Amino acid sequence: MREVIVQVVTEERTARQAYDLICDFRRYPELTDKVNEVVVHPPEADGSLRSDWSVIFRNGLMRWSELDRFVPETLTVEFEQIKGDFEVFRGSWACEEREGEGGGSVTVVTFRSDFDLGIPSLAEILDPVAESTLRDNILRILEGLMGRVAPMAPLNLTAARHG
């Protein structure tokens, strides 16, 4: 299982604004040429929804359907593939306000995912490519949503998870 963590900081959006923008999956194809299509289905009674994704991956397309759970109280979104090209694909988005270096407020957005392509014999070759592609796509989406973002090294998250 591969883990991808992308963490950025922006001064251009509040955490609530960032969360609202992230929840608007329909806009993602406008923000990067790597997201081919996102179809968002009507919400379920519990507020979750299903979304169908088509993303350019190398010379082809990766397709999957995921179940998305929105938690506005904590400004988080959790997702998990329910069918598709990955063996496993799940993760979350989180937005939080932090104090910036100059004393003002900044927003930190964290994307975290675990994935397994389900091809053990090619994992050494394909997994790093998939990880890099996913990381690049997430950064492009965040730049499109937030405007100017500065990538952060998510060392504190990795250390906390493994420590």
Side-chain angles (χ1 to χ4, degrees):
M1 186 87 62
R2 258 337 233 219
E3 178 181 49
V4 173
I5 300 172
V6 177
Q7 194 171 48
V8 300
V9 63
T10 182
E11 297 177 359
E12 299 188 13
R13 304 277 188 239
T14 66
R16 171 59 65 179
Q17 290 170 334
Y19 173 78
D20 290 342
L21 291 167
I22 286 167
C23 291
D24 189 4
F25 300 147
R26 286 182 184 93
R27 290 200 52 221
Y28 287 24
E30 301 168 20
L31 305 174
T32 175
D33 58 355
K34 300 296 183 184
V35 178
N36 189 49
E37 181 181 35
V38 181
V39 176
V40 177
H41 298 275
E44 302 293 327
D46 67 357
S48 66
L49 58 84
R50 187 172 61 90
S51 56
D52 302 325
W53 295 74
S54 173
V55 175
I56 295 170
F57 179 78
R58 307 264 308 164
N59 296 323
L61 293 175
M62 293 284 287
R63 292 185 173 98
W64 70 90
S65 295
E66 64 184 45
L67 182 64
D68 304 295
R69 292 179 190 85
F70 302 94
V71 188
E73 301 81 23
T74 59
L75 303 179
T76 57
V77 179
E78 299 171 354
F79 63 89
E80 184 168 2
Q81 175 188 275
I82 50 179
K83 69 176 184 174
D85 292 338
F86 292 92
E87 181 75 20
V88 174
F89 184 48
R90 63 180 173 243
S92 63
W93 292 89
C95 304
E96 65 177 303
E97 298 280 330
R98 290 192 188 165
E99 186 174 330
E101 290 180 18
S105 178
V106 298
T107 296
V108 175
V109 178
T110 304
F111 170 86
R112 187 184 284 198
S113 71
D114 297 313
F115 74 88
D116 183 347
L117 294 174
I119 310 172
S121 61
L122 296 175
E124 277 190 46
I125 297 166
L126 292 180
D127 285 0
V129 173
E131 180 178 339
S132 175
T133 301
L134 180 58
R135 190 178 310 281
D136 182 55
N137 285 354
I138 294 301
L139 280 171
R140 287 185 186 196
I141 288 167
L142 286 168
E143 288 169 348
L145 288 171
M146 309 296 157
R148 197 171 46 128
V149 297
M152 298 173 61
L155 297 175
N156 57 336
L157 294 173
T158 304
R161 180 177 270 195
H162 300 292

